[in-house]
Amino acid sequence: MKKYLSMLLLGVTALVAATAAQAGAIDDAVKRGTLKVGMDPTYMPFEMTDKRGEIIGFEVDILKAMAKSMGVKLELVSTGYDGIIPAFLTGKFDMIGSGMTLTQERNLRLNFSEPFIVVGQTLLIRKDLEGTIKSYKDLNDEKYRLTSKLGTTGEMVAKKLISKAKYHGYDNEQEGVLDVVNGKADAFVYDAPYNVVAEKKVGNGKLVFLEEPFTFEPLAFGLKKGDYDSINFINNFLHQIRNDGTYDRIHDKWFKSSEWLKDME
């Protein structure tokens, strides 16, 4: 009987320990009073640094609303995109909120919330290629040179679907776009929301935006494997803001108005 009770007590202790160990990112953030989110603030209009040095954007506003719903402060941890998953897995922040596409490859390493928006890859091409380049297929030739941002789906797509062209990636988006503006590259491969802004902001009349997306890319928040409580909270939060007007208000601020561009100059 003593042996049985001892085993039972051991089992209860193990269950309590396992439950404690499974406390998720959202629970941890509530206890701490701060939600720490890793992001690379170079992706217009999702997350970017304004002229005052403040990180602003569409995804930032969603995260601010999320932190407010939790009753905590939001702390944005600026992290290079190509190292953001390793940094997250070593515990430097609670979740990834950096315009990350939910890919099957990434899903093997992370859990993801439901998408908060769906985008697709598009092209910014040199003005003198207008009419010659009508889709990404026309660029699949060794005589063309492509750019994008390292570690992004833009890089993956360029290497997979336009593999015959020469490729050179950069640590940030603007360097890649300027390569095309300055005639050093023929096309920049990136998400539609960024490209539509980049054409106006840095294109200087030397770019053509091929706006038809040629990939399907849901953007979502990245969390650790097994953190289902946090996924449950975030998904319910996304459902709430989509139906109470909050999401539409934030979306329209960043996608239907260009007022925010004044803060970037």
Side-chain angles (χ1 to χ4, degrees):
M1 187 65 178
K2 286 182 179 179
K3 185 178 178 182
Y4 172 76
L5 289 173
S6 177
M7 288 175 65
L8 186 62
L9 184 60
L10 211 68
V12 170
T13 304
L15 181 62
V16 170
T19 303
Q22 288 173 6
I26 296 298
D27 286 342
D28 290 343
V30 169
K31 290 173 185 174
R32 190 192 310 120
T34 306
L35 176 64
K36 296 182 179 180
V37 181
M39 68 169 49
D40 183 4
T42 62
Y43 180 29
M44 298 185 295
F46 288 80
E47 43 266 332
M48 55 217 167
T49 305
D50 67 13
K51 58 187 177 184
R52 296 180 297 274
E54 181 183 353
I55 300 176
I56 62 172
F58 170 66
E59 191 168 3
V60 175
D61 280 0
I62 290 177
L63 288 164
K64 284 180 179 178
M66 185 188 300
K68 184 179 180 181
S69 75
M70 295 164 58
V72 302
K73 295 179 180 178
L74 176 65
E75 179 182 339
L76 301 176
V77 183
S78 187
T79 309
Y81 198 84
D82 57 345
I84 201 166
I85 292 179
F88 169 63
L89 294 177
T90 56
K92 293 188 177 178
F93 32 86
D94 299 312
M95 57 187 280
I96 297 174
S98 194
M100 181 165 281
T101 301
L102 196 174
T103 67
Q104 280 62 58
E105 181 183 0
R106 288 172 179 156
N107 211 174
L108 291 172
R109 303 177 69 189
L110 305 174
N111 276 354
F112 283 94
S113 69
E114 291 181 5
F116 58 85
I117 197 170
V118 174
V119 299
Q121 294 300 301
T122 56
L123 296 170
L124 289 174
I125 63 170
R126 288 192 291 113
K127 180 73 173 177
D128 57 0
L129 289 174
E130 187 175 12
T132 301
I133 303 299
K134 298 178 181 178
S135 80
Y136 73 94
K137 295 177 183 178
D138 297 325
L139 284 166
N140 198 26
D141 190 303
E142 60 184 13
K143 69 181 179 181
Y144 293 120
R145 185 176 185 269
L146 310 177
T147 71
S148 193
K149 182 177 178 179
L150 292 169
T152 65
T153 48
E155 178 185 25
M156 297 175 197
V157 165
K159 291 180 175 179
K160 183 178 180 181
L161 299 182
I162 323 173
S163 58
K164 291 181 181 178
K166 299 179 183 68
Y167 177 83
H168 182 77
Y170 288 95
D171 289 330
N172 65 69
E173 292 91 342
Q174 188 158 314
E175 286 182 283
V177 175
L178 288 175
D179 245 16
V180 185
V181 171
N182 296 327
K184 295 179 180 179
D186 300 298
F188 177 74
V189 186
Y190 215 61
D191 298 352
Y194 181 89
N195 279 350
V196 70
V197 175
E199 181 196 17
K200 297 174 184 176
K201 189 172 186 297
V202 298
N204 200 27
K206 296 181 178 180
L207 299 176
V208 173
F209 177 40
L210 300 187
E211 62 185 34
E212 186 66 33
F214 56 94
T215 61
F216 170 81
E217 301 193 21
L219 307 189
F221 299 113
L223 295 140
K224 287 185 178 175
K225 299 283 279 186
D227 191 358
Y228 300 112
D229 285 347
S230 296
I231 291 173
N232 177 66
F233 176 87
I234 294 172
N235 288 347
N236 285 329
F237 163 77
L238 291 174
H239 285 298
Q240 177 67 36
I241 65 170
R242 282 193 179 106
N243 289 282
D244 68 9
T246 302
Y247 183 91
D248 289 341
R249 175 179 53 80
I250 295 172
H251 181 276
D252 291 354
K253 172 184 174 182
W254 296 103
F255 293 98
K256 292 188 177 181
S257 170
S258 58
E259 283 296 307
W260 58 268
L261 280 170
K262 296 176 183 177
D263 294 325
M264 303 300 295
E265 297 169 355

